[in-house]
Amino acid sequence: MPRTIAIGRQSYDRIITQKNFYIDKTLFIKDWWENDDDVTLITRPRRFGKTLNMNMIDCFFSNRFEKRSDLFEGLKIWEYEEYRNMQGTYPVIFLSFAGIKERDYKAAVYGIGCKISKLYAVNSILMKSSKLLESEKRYFEKQMEKIEEIEIAHTINNLCYFLSKHYEKKVIILLDEYDTPLQEAYINGYWEEMSGFIRSLFNNTFKTNEYLGRAILTGITRVSKESMFSDLNNLDVCTMSSEKY
């Protein structure tokens, strides 16, 4: 029976569970992991499948999808025992800046803070962790309610610390459409403020983060040596092959 082509659907688990047509790109997981880079940046045009790939990686590694082998059985990655044993075993932070399209700096930073606050809420199970101190739980609870602008640059790093402490494993970070706030900042005249903010956020999240295992960022903007990535000497800029991925 022919499978339905779910045009525009970006949720990997829905595509698989609803048996939609899917071109097997799961070997990207193996290729990326074996490159052994701390931080990978993927810049490709819109509608290239970046978000679906990120969602697939989240479903593969995240312990929220523990025992969900059904999402990968019969696909190429499942032929490798080493990777079968890795499925659903990592704490994963999956964040998208896709909706940050504000006309001023304050609103954009507020939007980013709200998205990070939701990450804390998604991981609220840590509030019951016996491995976190009571002071750490109070901080965690505060971030679920509201994140102050002055704290935002450090909040993902801190969440990695809490996740790593609880699960005793380093964290995978997936950031989709990293450059959307920067594009809007350029268009609306607050580039200097936003680029400085993003530089600080990225430095704390991807460079000085001892709890980071691996990370992937995606966007459409090509980067230069003078960009906000100039401090990230652990960054690998990856070009995705349309034939393979």
Side-chain angles (χ1 to χ4, degrees), residues 132-195:
L132 268 63
L133 302 175
E134 289 303 314
S135 59
E136 293 171 339
K137 292 178 181 179
R138 288 194 295 272
Y139 173 89
F140 197 101
E141 184 175 26
K142 178 186 174 185
Q143 305 316 309
M144 286 196 291
E145 295 173 356
K146 183 183 178 182
I147 299 178
E148 300 297 333
E149 179 179 337
I150 195 171
E151 297 179 311
I152 292 176
H154 302 276
T155 47
I156 298 179
N157 185 306
N158 289 337
L159 181 56
C160 286
Y161 163 70
F162 296 133
L163 288 167
S164 181
K165 188 174 183 180
H166 177 73
Y167 291 109
E168 298 182 351
K169 206 163 192 176
K170 289 194 174 183
V171 180
I172 294 173
I173 299 177
L174 307 174
L175 175 55
D176 197 26
E177 296 201 33
Y178 84 90
D179 51 351
T180 297
L182 294 164
Q183 294 168 26
E184 295 300 317
Y186 182 78
I187 292 169
N188 291 291
Y190 57 95
W191 168 262
E192 290 298 328
E193 290 176 294
M194 181 54 67
S195 61

Side-chain angles (χ1 to χ4, degrees), residues 27 36 40 83 86 110 165 181 188 198 200 207 217 243:
L27 282 185
D36 202 26
T40 302
Y83 287 90
M86 292 170 66
Y110 175 78
K165 188 174 183 180
N188 291 291
I198 293 293
S200 179
K207 183 176 176 115
L217 297 83
E243 292 81 9

Side-chain angles (χ1 to χ4, degrees), residues 59-111:
C59 290
F60 187 82
F61 286 105
S62 175
N63 49 27
R64 292 181 295 106
F65 292 91
E66 184 182 8
K67 298 180 181 178
R68 289 301 310 274
S69 61
D70 59 296
L71 296 176
F72 295 93
E73 288 172 350
L75 297 175
K76 292 177 182 177
I77 193 65
W78 216 245
E79 297 173 6
Y80 300 87
E81 182 179 2
E82 175 187 357
Y83 287 90
R84 293 199 299 270
N85 294 333
M86 292 170 66
Q87 196 274 320
T89 61
Y90 278 84
V92 175
I93 292 173
F94 187 11
L95 176 64
S96 173
F97 283 169
I100 309 298
K101 298 183 178 182
E102 313 300 338
R103 294 191 175 186
D104 64 82
Y105 172 75
K106 288 283 187 182
V109 170
Y110 175 78

Side-chain angles (χ1 to χ4, degrees), residues 39-65:
V39 183
T40 302
L41 171 64
I42 299 171
T43 58
R44 298 299 287 171
R46 290 186 174 92
R47 315 307 301 172
F48 198 82
K50 299 185 298 297
T51 299
L52 177 56
N53 256 22
M54 293 282 267
N55 199 273
M56 172 191 70
I57 293 167
D58 183 38
C59 290
F60 187 82
F61 286 105
S62 175
N63 49 27
R64 292 181 295 106
F65 292 91

Side-chain angles (χ1 to χ4, degrees), residues 198-224:
I198 293 293
R199 185 188 296 272
S200 179
L201 176 64
F202 284 6
N203 186 67
N204 282 286
T205 301
F206 301 113
K207 183 176 176 115
T208 61
N209 186 351
E210 62 183 293
Y211 313 103
L212 173 67
R214 310 245 183 131
I216 299 181
L217 297 83
T218 70
I220 64 170
T221 307
R222 292 183 179 275
V223 299
S224 67

